[in-house]
Amino acid sequence: QITDSAQLVAPTETSSAEVAKRPNFIIFTTDDMGYTDFGAFGGQDIPTPNIDEIAMQGVRLTNFHVSTSCSPTRSMLMSGTGNHEAGIGRQNLNQAPEFRGSLGYEGHITERVLTLPERMQAGGYQTYMSGKWHLGSDLGVNTPADRGFERTFALMSGGSSDHFRPDHLEQMPYLLDGEMIDSLPDDFYSTNAYVDHMIDFIQDGVENDQPFFAWFSPTAPHWPLQVHPGWEDNFAGQYDQGYDLLCRERQQGAAEMGILPANADTSICPEEAVPWDQLSEDEKRLISRSMELYAAMTSHLDTEVGRLLDYLEESGQLENTYIIYHNDNGPQGDVVLSSRGDHDRYDNSIENVGKRDSWIHLDQGWSDAQSAPFRQDKGSQYEGGIRVPAFIRAPDSTDTGLISNSLLTVMDVMPTIMELAGIEEITTNDEGNPVLPIRGKSFATLLENQNYDVHQDEYIGLEHGEESILFYGDWKIFRQQFADNWELYNVGANPNETLDVSAQHPELVAEMAARFEAHAAEVGILRRDPPQGDARVGGMGAP
């Protein structure tokens, strides 16, 4: 059990024999996926047998929350704290330039926190990372090689403008073991490369008398929708009936799997996108094609995950490895032919989309279907933007089909792994400077007792993009950007968040709002008045 912060001690030394018996850990962090994409979470349209198998062997975490986009979620995962404490108060500071340079808005993971790999390395673990980093790219300062990962193959930027070998590495740099890469092979494809390097790292470390901690964070199926050669037409025609039908089928499958809250209303679908029957035939063809390509990328990702798992099993390491999976935020819908793909080097004809010289986005209608029954998607603090599929699988798991609806956040992953690894929290870095304490709570108990309430009687405040939330059990307050009023939802009774009950519970709103404002003042959460106004800390007119 992680010790209380008032009684922290440095980790004790262990013999090599004891170290050798300690478990391995892999975190899988996927990018911009939907709540019901996997079969284990209700999807029936995309075959994902490898991920489904390990999910069903573990405990599916159906009330797991992240931030609204990639970078703040990753900062919370790597630090065990909130995104402001970790330095990512805002992912895109160009959208709020007045915040730049303020405490909590450094734009990279800061020295105020110890990262998970730094803690694991200090506790005797080998540390590997393969995939998307997006937490800073200053060599020698805040790359993954600088923050605790011994072996790294990392995409440094937030999104890849190519899943194939790019012609402009200066715009989307990759780093290998602390050095920027000058070139990539002609047959490069992101998912395959991430798996290749992760297998190499683990294989190279087998001879060492140490367990490993690994973070695998592929970019697929994040835009652009570019499919591995040979997979382009695997789902041809499958989505011709449109996203309204998929939304109903996904929700029905999720309900049958038991991964939706009992009170979720699955009779309706979100209406962010234009209804399918109002689209022209040309629009339907291009939009259905975008989902075909997304499905192909997801299915291919599952196959590559299977290749990594096969290596672990064949090498005898899977039986001693904990696996934790989560997505980084809700699905992201947009206009299929958005401005990002408006470049003369792309051929976005219907015959060419999905290939290496194309750039299209997943349509909003599919994102609505992927996040249903939850409200909205990536970028929003409503449940559709922050409640994501997640699970934990223990190496000695014998039960199948376990589910926990305990409220969790991505901050809880760090203390969970530390408890299972027997690593105690330390409060200073290598220079002896104090670091912020871990905010998350271990959910290791859920492996034995799925009904355990991890955050009982706790208030959990979070913010990104000037959208603020605070959880207290099933209660959630939500404040939109530039607003002073708080919405109140009981996400246990109304997980769709269609019923704002703030008027019925003014005292509860006031209590929870006061808790949030105290947290905002403590960690330096900034707000702006409506356009033309000044930046402010906290809300309700706080200075």
Side-chain angles (χ1 to χ4, degrees), residues 23 26 60 77 83 120 148 155 208 214 251 273 317 371 494 525 542:
I26 297 183
R60 284 167 292 166
L77 172 68
N83 52 298
M120 297 299 285
L155 173 67
N208 296 331
Q251 291 188 88
Q317 298 178 83
S371 60
N494 178 223
I525 294 175

Side-chain angles (χ1 to χ4, degrees), residues 70-355:
C70 313
S71 187
T73 290
R74 291 159 199 272
S75 74
M76 293 161 69
L77 172 68
M78 288 290 105
S79 71
T81 65
N83 52 298
H84 290 83
E85 299 96 301
I88 312 291
R90 183 78 185 229
Q91 177 166 307
N92 188 348
L93 286 167
N94 292 328
Q95 296 174 348
E98 58 266 59
F99 295 170
R100 195 182 302 274
S102 299
L103 184 73
Y105 294 84
E106 290 86 352
H108 58 80
I109 196 160
T110 71
E111 296 295 331
R112 294 193 304 277
V113 299
L114 277 179
T115 67
L116 180 51
E118 286 170 338
R119 293 181 183 275
M120 297 299 285
Q121 189 176 42
Y125 273 75
Q126 301 174 93
T127 55
Y128 313 134
M129 185 261 176
S130 185
K132 173 174 165 179
W133 173 243
H134 202 197
L135 292 173
S137 56
D138 295 326
L139 289 176
V141 180
N142 50 43
T143 72
D146 303 311
R147 296 309 308 266
F149 284 109
E150 299 170 69
R151 303 295 310 278
T152 59
F153 177 72
L155 173 67
M156 304 308 294
S157 58
S160 170
S161 57
D162 288 277
H163 287 283
F164 294 93
R165 179 182 62 80
D167 296 322
H168 44 285
L169 277 170
E170 71 283 354
Q171 297 178 25
M172 47 173 295
Y174 286 88
L175 176 149
L176 177 63
D177 292 339
E179 301 292 335
M180 290 298 179
I181 296 174
D182 294 329
S183 63
L184 293 166
D186 290 341
D187 62 351
F188 177 88
Y189 185 77
S190 65
T191 310
N192 300 60
Y194 295 141
V195 172
D196 287 343
H197 283 284
M198 182 58 77
I199 291 176
D200 287 346
F201 296 159
I202 297 173
Q203 196 166 36
D204 289 347
V206 166
E207 297 303 318
N208 296 331
D209 197 15
Q210 290 177 293
F212 69 80
F213 161 74
W215 184 27
F216 179 75
S217 56
T219 45
H222 189 288
W223 49 256
L225 299 179
Q226 296 174 338
V227 180
H228 190 270
W231 290 71
E232 298 93 342
D233 296 322
N234 284 15
F235 295 86
Q238 182 163 312
Y239 298 98
D240 288 352
Q241 299 305 307
Y243 37 69
D244 298 332
L245 175 62
L246 183 67
C247 184
R248 293 192 294 272
E249 291 177 342
R250 287 281 189 96
Q251 291 188 88
Q252 180 181 354
E256 291 173 353
M257 292 294 291
I259 59 101
L260 294 183
N263 294 308
D265 183 355
T266 60
S267 66
I268 58 174
C269 284
E271 297 180 352
E272 298 288 326
V274 176
W276 185 256
D277 59 9
Q278 295 181 20
L279 299 173
S280 69
E281 290 305 310
D282 286 344
E283 289 173 326
K284 288 180 179 178
R285 184 69 199 100
L286 180 60
I287 290 172
S288 63
R289 184 61 175 155
S290 74
M291 187 62 196
E292 292 172 8
L293 299 174
Y294 177 93
M297 292 179 74
T298 301
S299 183
H300 174 261
L301 170 63
D302 179 79
T303 298
E304 288 298 291
V305 168
R307 182 161 67 91
L308 174 55
L309 295 172
D310 285 346
Y311 161 73
L312 292 173
E313 185 171 25
E314 291 165 3
S315 62
Q317 298 178 83
L318 186 61
E319 63 187 22
N320 192 37
T321 301
Y322 282 92
I323 296 173
I324 295 177
Y325 162 82
H326 72 98
N327 190 42
D328 64 352
N329 44 246
Q332 183 178 15
D334 205 339
V335 178
V336 174
L337 296 176
S338 72
S339 59
R340 293 190 187 98
D342 186 15
H343 192 286
D344 57 13
R345 71 188 183 90
Y346 295 125
D347 174 5
N348 288 327
S349 62
I350 189 67
E351 298 80 15
N352 195 67
V353 291
K355 297 181 181 179

Side-chain angles (χ1 to χ4, degrees), residues 424-488:
E424 296 178 329
E425 186 178 356
I426 53 178
T427 58
T428 59
N429 59 21
D430 289 342
E431 288 73 41
N433 298 318
V435 293
L436 293 173
I438 296 171
R439 259 179 81 187
K441 289 287 186 69
S442 171
F443 55 81
T445 300
L446 296 179
L447 289 166
E448 303 298 330
N449 178 9
Q450 289 78 57
N451 295 319
Y452 179 70
D453 188 351
V454 175
H455 289 284
Q456 185 175 11
D457 297 326
E458 285 187 44
Y459 295 87
I460 305 172
L462 295 167
E463 188 270 356
H464 184 253
E466 295 173 89
E467 287 194 348
S468 308
I469 59 171
L470 183 132
F471 289 103
Y472 179 62
D474 283 342
W475 293 107
K476 173 186 175 183
I477 56 171
F478 174 91
R479 182 176 60 192
Q480 299 193 40
Q481 185 183 37
F482 303 133
D484 282 329
N485 63 296
W486 290 90
E487 303 165 19
L488 175 67

